[in-house]
Amino acid sequence: MDAVSLTQKIQASRLLTDVEKNYWSGNLPHMNEGQIAKLVSILAEAENLSWNEGMQDYLAIANKNQAAPV
Amino acid sequence: MQGSASGGPSENRDAQKPAPKTGEQLDNSRTEVTTDLLLEQVRNQKFEEALYTLTNLVIGPKAKETFNSVLQKLGNKITRPDAEKMAALASQKEERDPTVRRILASLANLSTEVGGAVVDQINPFTRNITTFVNVFSERIKPYAEQVAGKFGFAGGAEGALQFIKDFIFSRIADVLEKTAMSFKNIPKANSIFETAFQLRRLSMPEKTDEDKILKKKYSDACVAWLKSTKTTPPPTPDSVSAQIAQAQNKPAETKPAEAVAEKVEGSKAVELVDGKKVTFTNVNRETKVEVGGLTRKVKIAGESVPEAAVIKPAGVEKGIVEFRMPNKNVKVDLIALHQAVKEDKKQLDAVDGTTKINLEPV
């Protein structure tokens, strides 16, 4: 993956704070291939997180207990 | 009653049965029910439930229309502190996600491998709020301008999004600071204050040199305040900015009076914290130091110290001794010197970090 695409992936990550985004983007030029591959796989895992799964489960339970369901 | 006996209960129910609703009516009902439910949940302080109702609304069918209608209906009925409590609660839920924790651990390991740790470490609670705000901002991206408009901001979508993020960070920080003030447990309160300060830093711009200076000064003020006895309100970017402006306009002569150096003539005892005491003597252009009955001759680069002066205002914990050599003056921390003599060390570093002070037994 080229540096531009990887930088975009870093910036788009919902898991990273702004400080961390800057940190990883800034470190890219100094990282070796193995480290970059590792970062790509970590970012991919974060990207595939089912962020709303817990929320949906909660809503289902909340709706059961509500007199007026949404 | 007489009139009510004209039909049975089941007959009445059939007569009052509403006609099937059209799509538009269903949408209106959904808006009304959602608004009522949200208000009820917030009124009953059920912020977690309210948050999920809101989230469901944003990801549900006809999100934009319903979202706008609910916003209109809500008006100012939900206060900002209540909205912030919802955000804080949502962030706490995410902290327990094992996948998130595993990914963060992998990132931390890789960070060490790459050559260090993330420069500006932030605590887990700050991260959770940040993650929540990032996810929330992404969800409301299509409506960012409208939401920002609600708070009095007009601009492009990206600018509006940034505005919302900054706004949420800043408001959560307000709530956290107020919460921390009610804690009697100092470490716990400090931890919450730290989170609040980190969130404020996240919302501070870094575009110009002035921005960077302000951010740095604000960070320094936060660190100093956390270590203080907290008799003043916590610093804010505005208060620090005002201090910088005041300092720039302040005439030079208003600087606090500098501590006076007192030359050691004969013998001079200096009281430190916790009853510690250091005694200096200067006889025949030779300086000696005594701690707890141990006396040491002070030498720098093999030379005796012809003159010494103590700089320690009364009642101040910190202080230094200045060893005056023919070619230069060397400053040494009094507490470090006390410790070195007490532990029978032969050498210690001066305040400049390069000059070595030798302590020779008499």
Side-chain angles (χ1 to χ4, degrees), chain B residues 37-281:
Chain B
L37 181 59
L38 263 173
L39 288 172
E40 191 186 321
Q41 286 164 334
V42 172
R43 198 165 41 241
N44 295 328
Q45 303 283 294
K46 292 183 177 174
F47 297 115
E48 215 169 344
E49 292 176 18
L51 176 78
Y52 284 108
T53 303
L54 196 61
T55 311
N56 188 51
L57 181 70
V58 176
I59 61 176
K62 294 194 178 178
K64 189 177 176 180
E65 292 84 351
T66 322
F67 189 77
N68 286 342
S69 305
V70 171
L71 267 186
Q72 269 183 349
K73 278 184 176 292
L74 284 175
N76 293 324
K77 288 176 189 164
I78 292 185
T79 62
R80 285 175 186 176
D82 284 345
E84 287 146 13
K85 282 178 197 164
M86 286 190 250
L89 276 170
S91 67
Q92 281 174 329
K93 281 184 77 65
E94 283 182 357
E95 190 179 22
R96 292 194 287 268
D97 190 322
T99 317
V100 174
R101 287 210 302 265
R102 195 181 62 241
I103 294 172
L104 292 175
S106 308
L107 272 172
N109 288 340
L110 179 59
S111 176
T112 311
E113 195 185 310
V114 167
V118 174
V119 193
D120 191 358
Q121 288 290 352
I122 63 172
N123 70 30
F125 192 53
T126 313
R127 173 192 298 287
N128 291 329
I129 294 173
T130 310
T131 307
F132 168 73
V133 173
N134 284 342
V135 174
F136 184 67
S137 305
E138 197 173 287
R139 289 275 168 217
I140 63 170
K141 206 169 187 174
Y143 331 114
E145 281 187 68
Q146 291 163 39
V147 177
K150 278 262 164 198
F151 299 126
F153 174 91
E158 284 303 318
L161 207 58
Q162 189 58 44
F163 170 84
I164 291 169
K165 284 170 80 168
D166 292 350
F167 177 83
I168 297 174
F169 283 143
S170 166
R171 295 287 81 78
I172 293 176
D174 287 347
V175 171
L176 287 175
E177 282 178 6
K178 280 175 192 157
T179 309
M181 281 177 196
S182 65
F183 272 77
K184 286 182 181 163
N185 178 331
I186 300 295
K188 181 77 182 166
N190 275 351
S191 162
I192 298 173
F193 274 124
E194 211 175 312
T195 302
F197 296 155
Q198 285 171 344
L199 288 173
R200 284 208 198 285
R201 286 212 304 270
L202 284 175
S203 67
M204 290 173 76
E206 274 188 295
K207 284 180 185 164
T208 64
D209 285 348
E210 284 79 12
D211 290 343
K212 288 173 188 165
I213 291 169
L214 177 60
K215 197 166 182 175
K216 172 77 174 62
K217 294 256 182 198
Y218 174 67
S219 299
D220 293 346
C222 290
V223 172
W225 190 84
L226 282 171
K227 287 180 183 168
S228 76
T229 50
K230 302 182 180 55
T231 50
T232 56
T236 63
D238 285 346
S239 70
V240 174
S241 174
Q243 279 171 7
I244 294 173
Q246 201 179 6
Q248 282 168 348
N249 296 330
K250 197 184 276 184
E253 60 268 24
T254 58
K255 278 198 306 182
E258 284 185 12
V260 180
E262 289 183 28
K263 192 175 160 187
V264 178
E265 286 174 318
S267 172
K268 179 170 178 59
V270 185
E271 296 279 345
L272 300 175
V273 283
D274 302 330
K276 290 173 189 163
K277 200 167 120 181
V278 185
T279 305
F280 295 97
T281 54

Side-chain angles (χ1 to χ4, degrees), chain B residues 311-359:
Chain B
I311 306 171
K312 182 189 173 296
V316 176
E317 288 180 7
K318 287 267 179 184
I320 58 167
V321 58
E322 190 175 69
F323 295 129
R324 295 171 175 172
M325 305 296 287
N327 50 355
K328 69 170 179 176
N329 294 340
V330 179
K331 289 178 177 173
V332 179
D333 183 278
L334 281 173
I335 294 173
L337 179 63
H338 176 279
Q339 195 174 347
V341 176
K342 194 179 167 191
E343 293 174 1
D344 197 18
K345 288 188 176 167
K346 304 283 179 264
Q347 200 176 62
L348 83 152
D349 288 334
V351 171
D352 64 15
T354 53
T355 311
K356 301 287 180 195
I357 313 298
N358 293 311
L359 301 168

Side-chain angles (χ1 to χ4, degrees), chain A:
Chain A
M1 186 176 286
D2 64 288
V4 176
S5 308
L6 193 49
T7 306
Q8 282 171 350
K9 262 189 175 305
I10 291 169
Q11 293 305 323
S13 171
R14 294 177 299 190
L15 189 68
L16 298 179
T17 64
D18 290 348
V19 171
E20 289 166 334
K21 285 175 184 174
N22 291 338
Y23 171 82
W24 288 111
S25 301
N27 269 309
L28 282 180
H30 314 294
M31 288 165 68
N32 62 34
E33 281 182 20
Q35 289 165 342
I36 287 177
K38 208 180 280 186
L39 180 61
V40 169
S41 72
I42 294 170
L43 288 175
E45 196 180 353
E47 203 174 2
N48 295 329
L49 272 179
S50 48
W51 293 96
N52 292 309
E53 200 177 314
M55 293 185 180
Q56 296 288 13
D57 289 349
Y58 182 90
L59 191 70
I61 298 165
N63 278 345
K64 271 185 200 167
N65 299 324
Q66 293 293 334
V70 179

